[in-house]
Every structure is written in structure tokens, then in C-alpha cells.
């Protein structure tokens, strides 16, 4: 079983719609959760971090964390073509010093 | 803004060559990481360091070594490059317990 799982996609949404990206993790003791965006041929860039249950909003992005169900999600409102990228979920599990475990990413396509 | 730089964007090497990849960060971060990224496999941690002259093996350290002589610089060494080390190599750094990692632009290495 993979430690951090994401649907590889592609997830296709029309411009202006809400994109919903999901991630599940296996270690119940995980403490810190991150969403990164990666454009093709580029390096990952941080979008959001979340540490406690509930929602965290930053502009068009909302991260949602449910530790009891072991999932974290990212909502992108008013999706734009420039949001087309691969979104990586990363989790810091308990007892792993500063290490993050990454999912393989979900490719998002925002269509005109 | 955090800045992480890597010595090369593209490298072509021959099998058996010794390869040095350098990473420098300018934000006084304690933690530095080397990953490789391959299609379908996601980001995999090779080595990380949480202090000068300290290093820890990641998930796939075989065939690699690292050096951290100064806080801002973390080098990845391929002692004898092989074709299966053709990959995108990403360096990252982080500060403190929150573990938000910031990535460099990446080095695409081709071993012939």
C-alpha cells in the first residue's frame, strides 16, 4: 500500500468550475500536509500547507483536512487554464524527522 | 523569498563518470534534501541533511553519496553514473519543524 495516494488523472474541468483534488495517506500519526503545484518540466512550488482538521483558504485555493478519515483535499475555485498542472500532495508522518512523503500527483486540465 | 539554486539545468554524462550536482540555498535553512523524480514514480528521497556535516539516507540512497560542508550548500554525488540514474534531480530546503520544503529548479540528467 502506498503511503500517500492520489488519482493520477487527468482531471478535466471547464474554465470557471471548481476543481477538487484528493489525497489519502496511510500513517494515522501524520502531522503536516502540503499541496504543491508542478508545471511540466518545472519544479514543485508550494500552494498550501495545513496542520489541523478543517478548511484553510488562500485566495481561490482551499485545503481541507480530515485526520479521522486520513484524507486531505484541495479545491480550486474559478479554475483557470493557468491552473493546468500536476498537483502533488505531501505528508509528514510521525517520527520521520523532516522528511516528506509525496504522492505521485494528479494532473489537472482546465479546458476553455 | 526563499531561493534554492542548482548548478545545472541539463547535464549529459557517460556511464561510469563521476557526477556532481550542487545545490545552494540562501535562507539559512537547516534542512536540505535531494530527490529524483521519474514518470509514474513521483518524487523519491535520496538523501537529506539536517545540519552541516550531517546526512541521512532517504528511500533510495544506493549509488549516491552527499556532502554538506557548509550550511547553504548540499552536493549530490554519483560515484559511477549508470543509465538507470537518468532522471530529474530536485534539491529542496526547509526551516524548522514545519517542514515546508522549497525546491530548486531541478537538474535533468541524461546518462548515456
Amino acid at each position: 500500500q502506498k503511503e500517500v495516494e492520489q488519482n493520477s488523472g487527468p482531471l478535466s474541468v471547464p474554465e470557471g468550475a471548481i476543481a477538487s483534488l484528493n489525497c489519502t495517506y496511510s500513517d494515522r500519526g501524520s502531522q503536516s500536509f502540503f499541496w504543491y503545484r508542478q508545471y511540466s518540466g518545472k519544479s514543485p512550488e508550494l500552494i498550501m500547507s495545513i496542520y489541523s482538521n478543517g478548511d484553510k483558504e488562500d485566495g481561490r485555493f482551499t485545503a481541507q483536512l480530515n485526520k479521522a478519515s486520513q484524507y486531505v483535499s484541495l479545491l480550486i475555485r474559478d479554475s483557470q487554464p493557468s491552473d493546468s498542472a500536476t498537483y502533488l500532495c505531501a505528508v509528514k508522518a510521525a517520527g520521520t524527522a523532516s522528511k516528506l512523503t509525496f504522492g505521485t500527483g494528479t494532473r489537472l486540465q482546465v479546458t476553455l | 523569498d526563499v531561493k534554492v539554486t542548482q548548478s545545472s539545468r541539463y547535464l549529459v554524462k557517460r556511464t561510469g563518470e563521476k557526477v556532481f550536482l550542487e545545490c545552494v540555498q540562501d535562507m539559512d535553512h537547516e534542512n536540505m534534501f535531494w530527490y529524483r523524480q521519474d514518470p509514474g514514480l513521483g518524487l523519491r528521497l535520496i538523501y537529506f541533511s539536517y545540519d552541516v556535516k550531517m546526512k541521512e539516507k532517504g528511500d533510495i540512497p544506493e549509488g549516491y553519496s552527499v556532502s554538506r560542508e557548509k550550511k547553504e550548500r548540499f552536493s549530490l554525488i554519483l560515484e559511477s553514473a549508470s543509465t538507470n540514474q537518468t532522471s530529474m534531480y530536485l534539491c529542496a530546503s526547509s526551516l524548522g519543524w514545519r517542514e515546508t520544503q522549497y525546491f530548486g529548479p531541478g537538474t535533468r540528467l541524461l546518462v548515456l
Side-chain angles (χ1 to χ4, degrees), chain B residues 22-102:
Chain B
E22 288 217 313
C23 175
V24 177
Q25 50 91 6
D26 66 357
M27 288 302 292
D28 204 34
H29 284 178
E30 296 106 347
N31 309 311
M32 297 188 74
F33 308 82
W34 275 107
Y35 295 89
R36 62 179 283 177
Q37 187 175 33
D38 302 286
L41 297 177
L43 277 161
R44 293 181 292 168
L45 182 64
I46 304 171
Y47 268 97
F48 69 102
S49 169
Y50 53 87
D51 201 354
V52 175
K53 297 193 185 293
M54 305 300 287
K55 60 184 179 183
E56 295 282 342
K57 291 181 180 179
D59 301 317
I60 51 163
E62 297 79 19
Y64 303 94
S65 61
V66 290
S67 172
R68 193 165 182 201
E69 296 296 319
K70 294 185 177 181
K71 191 174 185 179
E72 67 270 18
R73 189 179 299 268
F74 192 34
S75 301
L76 179 69
I77 303 151
L78 288 65
E79 295 289 342
S80 177
S82 63
T83 55
N84 63 13
Q85 292 178 310
T86 291
S87 187
M88 168 73 100
Y89 289 87
L90 289 158
C91 174
S93 71
S94 71
L95 174 68
W97 67 276
R98 288 291 191 183
E99 288 90 32
T100 300
Q101 293 187 16
Y102 298 92

Side-chain angles (χ1 to χ4, degrees), chain A residues 21-91:
Chain A
L21 304 161
N22 299 310
C23 171
T24 59
Y25 59 94
S26 59
D27 188 334
R28 192 169 283 279
S30 297
Q31 301 169 339
S32 309
F33 306 85
F34 306 87
W35 282 100
Y36 287 83
R37 178 176 62 199
Q38 186 174 25
Y39 293 112
S40 180
K42 302 294 186 182
S43 61
E45 55 179 327
L46 181 72
I47 299 175
M48 299 274 292
S49 57
I50 187 166
Y51 305 98
S52 52
N53 278 332
D55 294 0
K56 180 181 177 182
E57 188 174 316
D58 184 0
R60 295 187 297 112
F61 299 97
T62 299
Q64 299 175 318
L65 176 60
N66 184 324
K67 289 186 178 180
S69 299
Q70 295 176 242
Y71 83 79
V72 56
S73 61
L74 180 70
L75 300 179
I76 306 174
R77 289 181 300 282
D78 188 24
S79 295
Q80 301 296 309
S82 58
D83 294 325
S84 298
T86 296
Y87 289 80
L88 304 175
C89 172
V91 175

